[in-house]
Amino acid sequence: MRLQRIDHVGYAVEDLDEAVRYHERLYGAEVAHRERMERDGVDEALLAVGDSYIQLLAPTRADSPVGRFLARNGPGVHHVGYGVADVAATLEDLKALGVQVVDDHPRPGSRGCTVAFLHPRGAMGVLVELVEDPRLAGVTAGHAGTSPERRRPPGPTLGA
Amino acid sequence: MRLQRIDHVGYAVEDLDEAVRYHERLYGAEVAHRERMERDGVDEALLAVGDSYIQLLAPTRADSPVGRFLARNGPGVHHVGYGVADVAATLEDLKALGVQVVDDHPRPGSRGCTVAFLHPRGAMGVLVELVEDPRLAGVTAGHAGTSPERRRPPGPTLGA
């Protein structure tokens, strides 16, 4: 399987602080990382769930992708991020197989990752993000034989 | 964090076989489990992604929850399933905190799990399923100290 793990599920939310408090109160969630991505027009908070994350996304402007999603759908699941070993190679292979993409080339994502979005059209209606996490480099064959510590090492960018 | 892992992301799809073929062709996915749940009106196929699953869900009748979701929204992410150590205790605690639920009591899910759905209203618009997997019993403090083999042991119900 080319998708190695569910890296995160991205929730579009109206108010980031309120969404964080909601998850803290109900689940004892802790914020592993916060980042404002001006290019994407989002403020994000990552909540660790095992080796994956809930990624809370609030728009910084109404005309951003998450802002438009909220206006159209209200809050809910915005996209799913899947970990891959090599975003560039995966993206080229998928394009060769006829997959429509949002990002024609890999680009920087949050927390130092390299990412690319595929288009939901023709993809079961799901907005899929491919995520290459440099902290997981060398972990190619699923997770077999690696300890949890090895698999999600705390990086300097994750110092919340 | 009370949510121990992302157990699965549930996709509502029109045609289960077509959705399976799509993931096989693009990602080399393999079906880990198939099950028809008459009570829920769904036919499901699980594709393993690391220690989690993509759960493809096709309705067996138009008036089932997934059938109504498809009529209203088209295909896309239907819900997110999070692994918890004890569905009953988690559900009672969340209800005491004012969370609206779909299932007032835990009930059988697919592949021998015990599950309960929370209502998306007031929950960031996300339909959340709590999943207690008996094959993971005893794995309570995240995944630390357990090998991948220990964490997702192949059970007889997963013999595809």
Side-chain angles (χ1 to χ4, degrees):
Chain A
M1 175 64 147
R2 191 140 202 179
L3 307 177
Q4 296 185 330
R5 66 187 193 287
I6 299 180
D7 183 84
H8 65 270
V9 179
Y11 291 11
V13 304
E14 303 277 2
D15 183 314
L16 190 60
D17 289 328
E18 182 196 336
V20 167
R21 281 195 301 270
Y22 174 88
H23 286 87
E24 287 172 341
R25 191 172 72 91
L26 295 192
Y27 300 115
E30 290 175 25
V31 175
H33 183 65
R34 272 190 87 137
E35 189 166 344
R36 189 180 175 95
M37 304 282 286
E38 289 298 345
R39 172 188 166 150
D40 295 326
V42 292
D43 232 350
E44 80 166 44
L46 289 177
L47 311 176
V49 180
D51 296 318
S52 306
Y53 297 106
I54 294 173
Q55 182 188 52
L56 302 172
L57 297 165
T60 60
R61 48 180 198 270
D63 68 345
S64 63
V66 171
R68 289 195 302 268
F69 177 93
L70 282 169
R72 200 168 51 237
N73 306 288
V77 175
H78 177 260
H79 71 272
V80 185
Y82 293 101
V84 296
D86 184 330
V87 167
T90 304
L91 191 62
E92 285 312 307
D93 289 352
L94 292 175
K95 283 159 66 178
L97 287 166
V99 171
Q100 292 189 54
V101 298
V102 174
D103 297 306
D104 217 22
H105 302 283
R107 63 183 182 82
S110 69
R111 66 191 149 104
C113 293
T114 301
V115 306
F117 279 88
L118 312 180
H119 202 287
R121 195 181 309 130
M124 314 282 134
V126 179
L127 178 60
V128 166
E129 180 180 10
L130 305 174
V131 180
E132 181 182 335
D133 186 335
R135 293 172 303 135
L136 297 177
V139 183
T140 53
H143 288 144
T146 57
S147 73
E149 290 68 29
R150 171 75 184 77
R151 289 156 50 194
R152 178 71 71 189
T157 61
L158 277 184
Chain B
M1 176 61 146
R2 191 141 202 178
L3 307 177
Q4 297 185 330
R5 65 187 194 286
I6 298 180
D7 183 83
H8 64 271
V9 179
Y11 292 10
V13 304
E14 303 278 2
D15 183 315
L16 191 60
D17 289 327
E18 182 195 338
V20 167
R21 281 194 302 270
Y22 174 88
H23 286 88
E24 287 172 342
R25 191 172 73 92
L26 296 191
Y27 300 116
E30 290 175 25
V31 175
H33 183 65
R34 272 190 88 139
E35 189 165 344
R36 188 179 175 96
M37 304 283 285
E38 288 298 346
R39 172 187 165 149
D40 294 327
V42 292
D43 231 350
E44 79 165 46
L46 288 176
L47 311 176
V49 181
D51 296 317
S52 306
Y53 297 107
I54 294 173
Q55 182 188 51
L56 302 172
L57 298 165
T60 60
R61 50 179 197 269
D63 68 346
S64 64
V66 171
R68 290 195 301 268
F69 177 94
L70 283 169
R72 201 169 49 237
N73 306 288
V77 175
H78 178 261
H79 71 272
V80 185
Y82 293 101
V84 296
D86 183 331
V87 167
T90 305
L91 191 63
E92 285 311 306
D93 288 352
L94 293 176
K95 282 158 66 178
L97 287 166
V99 172
Q100 292 188 54
V101 299
V102 174
D103 297 307
D104 218 22
H105 301 284
R107 62 183 182 83
S110 69
R111 65 191 149 105
C113 293
T114 302
V115 306
F117 279 89
L118 311 180
H119 202 285
R121 195 181 310 132
M124 313 281 134
V126 179
L127 178 60
V128 166
E129 181 180 9
L130 305 174
V131 180
E132 181 182 334
D133 186 336
R135 295 171 302 134
L136 298 176
V139 182
T140 53
H143 288 143
T146 57
S147 73
E149 290 69 29
R150 171 73 184 76
R151 287 156 50 195
R152 179 70 72 189
T157 60
L158 276 182

